[in-house]
Amino acid sequence: MSDIQEYSDVVQEVRGALNAGKLKLQSTSVSFKNIKTGKVDQYQSTDVDKVYWLKRARGYCLKFMLDTGIIHRYDGFKETDFDKLSSFVSKYYETSLEKQDLSVKGWNWGIANFTGNSLSFEVDNKLAFEVPLNNVSHTTTSKSEVTLEFHQNDDAAVSLMELRFHIPGQPAAAALAAANAEKGEITEIKDPVQEFYENVLDKADIIQATGETIAVFTEIHCLTPRGRYDFKIYPTFLQLHGKTFDYKIPYTTVLRLFLLPHKDGRQMFFVVSLDPPIKQGQTRYPFIILLFQKDDEMTLELGQSDEDFETKYEGKLQREMSGLEYEVISRVFKAVTNRKITVPGTFVGSSGTNAVSCSYKAATGFLYPLERGFIFIHKPPMHIRFDEVASVNFARSAGSLRSFDFDIETKSGTMHTFVGVEKDEYGKLYDFVSNKKLRVKNIGGKLDQKQKNANYADDMSASDDDDGDHDAYLERMKAEGKDRYSDDEDDDTDSSDESFNPGDSGSEVAEEYDSNPPTTSESDEADAGSGPEAVARREAKRKEKEKRKARTAKTVREPGQKRTKRKKKNKNRDPDKPKRPMSGYMIWFNTNREKMKTDHPNISIIELSKKAGELWKEITDKTEWDEKHAKAKEEYLVAMEEYNKRPKKEVENEPGDSDDGSDGEKKTKKKIKKSPKSPSASKSPAKKVTESRAGAGESYKSKEFISSSSSSDENKPLKKKVKKEAKKEVKKEESEEDKESSVGELPSDEEILPSPPSSGKGSGSDETDTDDGSD
C-alpha cells in the first residue's frame, strides 16, 4: 500500500458554502488545499484522535477529530473508498475508521452534546445533526431559549440565519436540589440555559473587544475601503475605526499579505487579502489596501509584557520598534496574523520597476507579476494565482499601435483583460510568462514556437517610424484563415455568390399572345439535328457554358472574405407612401445612441448593437417606449387611410416620370420583354388582330392590363369582345383561303367581318376592316 492517497473531487463546508479542493493523506500529515482561495490546511497525523465515516447528502463524509478538539470534515467520497481509507487510517494514524450512524426519525427533541468546536444533537444515541460553533457570530438567551446567529457567506446559495434551542430542564433541577436539601445535602443549582449559553459562547467565533491592545496606528491612509482609519491591533482580531464605519476582522480570515512598491518609486502599497471579505452594506471588500510614503518614519511602543513577546510572537516583536512606517506596520501584521509577506520577485519591466501600467475596464492601475501569481492594484483589486490560470493571451489593442492587451483566462472560464500595456513591456512580460510555464493562447501553428514568438516580439518592439508595410499580426491572422479555408474547401466551393441562370435547354418566357411558343422539348429536338443550324446552336450553347464557368471561377471568395448580399431595390415604390412605425426598441435606441457612443468612444457598430441589446434587456419598465410605438402606429394608420384615398394615377406615378412620356417609354420597354422566336413559330391570328389595330392608330389595352383589372365590372365586356373578334378574324382568314383554293361564289362581306360592337373603342377598327374588304 502506498503511503500517499490523493482525492481531487473533495469539498469542504465553510460557513454554508461547499468549497472544492484537493485532499492529500500522507503517512505523517493531512493537508487540504482550497481551490478557490489557495489556502492550505495542514496538520500532523500524530494530532489525529478519531476518524469517522458517515453518510451525507453529497456522498460520504470523512471526519477528523484532533486532540485539540478541532474537527475537520471533507465530503464527496464514494462508498467504495471505505475499505482503502480504513486500511490506510489503521496503518498510519494509530486509530480505526469508525462508521457513525445517523438518526432519520425527524424528531426535534434530543440531547445536545458539546464536543470539541461543534455542537452535536443526538436522538436515541444517534447523531441527528452537527453545528460547527466557529460559524456562530452571535448568541442570546431569553427565559428557556438560546438563540444562535450565524456568519453569512456570499458563495452560499441558501444560508442558515438563526437556530433556537428550547431547554426545559430548570424545574427538574430545582426539584432535585429541594429533595437533596431535605436529606441535608446542599446541591448547587445550575441554570441549564445559562450553562448552554456559556458553552456556545466559549467555542463560537464571536469578536469581543476584550483585553488590551497590542498597538494602535492612527490616521492610516486606506485606498480600499477609502478613507483614513485608526488601526487597533488586538490579540485575536483587528479593528478599523473610521469616521463613518467600524470593522472587526479576525486574524483567521487573513489569507495573504503583500508589500508592493509603487511605480513612481516614492510610495508603497501594503495589501491584506481577506476571506470572507468585510462588508459595507451590499459592498464587499476582499482586500484592504494601505498607501504609505516611502520616506516616512515612525516609533511605536507596544503594550505587551516581555513574556508575551517571547512566548506568543517568538521574538518577532519588541517593546519599542522604530523605522520606516510601512516596515513597522508590516512586521506587526506578520507577527499577529502569522502570515508571510509576499514581495515582487524577479520580474523587472522596461521602466526598471516591478509593475506594468495598464487599465482594467475603466480604471487604471498596476499589474504586478509575482512568483506565484498576478496582482492588480487597485480598482478593483484582484489576485490571480498561477494554479488557476488556464491561458494568457497577447492581443493587439483596438485603439492604438503603441500598446497591446494582456488577457488572463482562468480555469473557471473567467476572462480578465488588461488594456493599454505599453509595447515596450511585451518582451519582458512574455519572457516571464514563458519561464513560469503558462500557456500562451494565441501562439501556435506549423511554425516553431520560439520562432513565432521571436517574430512577434520583433514586430511589437518595432518603432512607429517604420513604413508599416509588414504587419506580423495581420499576416498571422491571414495564415490561420487560409488554414481554416483549406480545411473547409469542399464545403465552400458550392457557396459562391453568382447570378441565377436558367437551364441551358430552357427557353425564354413565351410572349403573352404567342399561340405556339417554343418549349424545352422542341428546342432540344432542334439541337439534336445534324443540319448546319443545329450545329451552330450547339456551338453557341457550348460557348455560353464556358462563359458561365469563367464567371463562376471569378466569384469564388478569397480566404477570410465575407459574402456580400445584394439588396433588391423596389423601384416601383411610391416615395409619398407613409413609412411603417418603428418598434419601441428602435425608438429607444435612436434616443440613446449618442449617449452610448459618448460613454464608449472606441466601440464599433456591431459592439454598439450588442451593448444596446444588453441594456434593453436590463430595462424592466418599457411603458414609455411602448406608448411611443403605439402613438406612431396610430399616426401611420391615419396616414395610410389618406394615402389610399388618393386618385389611382397619382399613386401609380413613379419618380422621374415627365409629361412628354420619354421616361415612361423607357420603363415600358423594360417591363415588356419579347423573346426570340424559332423559325417554325408563326404569328397567331390573335397577334395579327393586335398588330392591325395598332397600325390603325387604335389605343389597345394589353392582356396584362386586362387581367390585372379583370375584377372590375367595366373591363369584363371588353375582354369578351376581344376574344370574340379574334375568333371571327380566324374564320375570316379560313374563308379567304377556301375562296382561293375552290371555285364557287364569293362569300358576302357580312359573313367575313365581325359584327360591330355596341360600344367601346372597337368601332373605329371595324370601319377600317370594312373599307379594306370593299376595295
Side-chain angles (χ1 to χ4, degrees), residues 730-747 751-752:
V730 172
K731 290 181 180 180
K732 178 181 177 181
E733 291 181 356
E734 290 177 355
S735 62
E736 288 179 354
E737 291 176 359
D738 294 340
K739 180 178 69 173
E740 294 176 357
S741 59
S742 60
V743 179
E745 295 181 356
L746 292 174
E751 296 175 354
I752 297 174

Side-chain angles (χ1 to χ4, degrees), residues 379-393:
K379 280 189 178 180
M382 65 182 69
H383 179 235
I384 306 171
R385 305 187 314 274
F386 287 158
D387 56 3
E388 61 179 346
V389 173
S391 63
V392 298
N393 180 30

Side-chain angles (χ1 to χ4, degrees), residues 699-715:
S699 61
Y700 176 71
K701 292 187 178 181
S702 64
K703 181 180 179 182
E704 180 181 358
F705 180 81
I706 296 172
S707 62
S708 63
S709 59
S710 59
S711 59
S712 60
D713 296 337
E714 61 180 3
N715 291 331

Side-chain angles (χ1 to χ4, degrees), residues 141-294:
T141 59
S142 175
K143 295 183 180 180
S144 60
E145 286 187 355
V146 177
T147 303
L148 307 184
E149 298 178 6
F150 298 93
H151 288 290
Q152 301 305 303
N153 194 331
D154 295 336
D155 297 332
V158 180
S159 297
L160 178 63
M161 304 291 294
E162 187 179 274
L163 186 63
R164 294 185 180 183
F165 291 92
H166 177 70
I167 305 171
Q170 188 173 3
L176 180 61
N180 292 336
E182 293 178 358
K183 295 178 181 180
E185 298 178 359
I186 299 175
T187 305
E188 183 181 357
I189 301 176
K190 292 184 178 180
D191 187 2
V193 176
Q194 187 65 26
E195 186 178 1
F196 189 96
Y197 170 76
E198 291 176 357
N199 289 331
V200 172
L201 196 63
D202 183 37
K203 301 295 182 180
D205 186 15
I206 300 175
I207 300 175
Q208 295 179 352
T210 58
E212 297 181 357
T213 59
I214 299 175
V216 178
F217 305 103
T218 59
E219 295 294 324
I220 301 297
H221 183 199
C222 288
L223 298 179
T224 303
R226 187 177 179 182
R228 290 190 174 272
Y229 289 84
D230 295 339
F231 282 69
K232 297 181 180 180
I233 309 297
Y234 286 88
T236 58
F237 69 94
L238 167 68
Q239 182 179 4
L240 274 67
H241 176 70
K243 293 181 179 179
T244 309
F245 300 99
D246 284 351
Y247 305 99
K248 293 181 180 179
I249 305 169
Y251 295 141
T252 55
T253 63
V254 177
L255 291 181
R256 296 176 184 85
L257 303 175
F258 301 91
L259 188 60
L260 308 172
H262 197 283
K263 195 173 181 181
D264 59 6
R266 296 176 297 177
Q267 301 178 93
M268 294 291 293
F269 293 112
F270 184 66
V271 184
V272 181
S273 175
L274 304 175
D275 183 61
I278 58 177
K279 304 175 183 179
Q280 180 178 315
Q282 296 298 323
T283 307
R284 304 294 186 267
Y285 295 105
F287 293 90
I288 299 176
I289 303 178
L290 312 181
L291 183 62
F292 300 98
Q293 296 296 326
K294 201 169 184 179

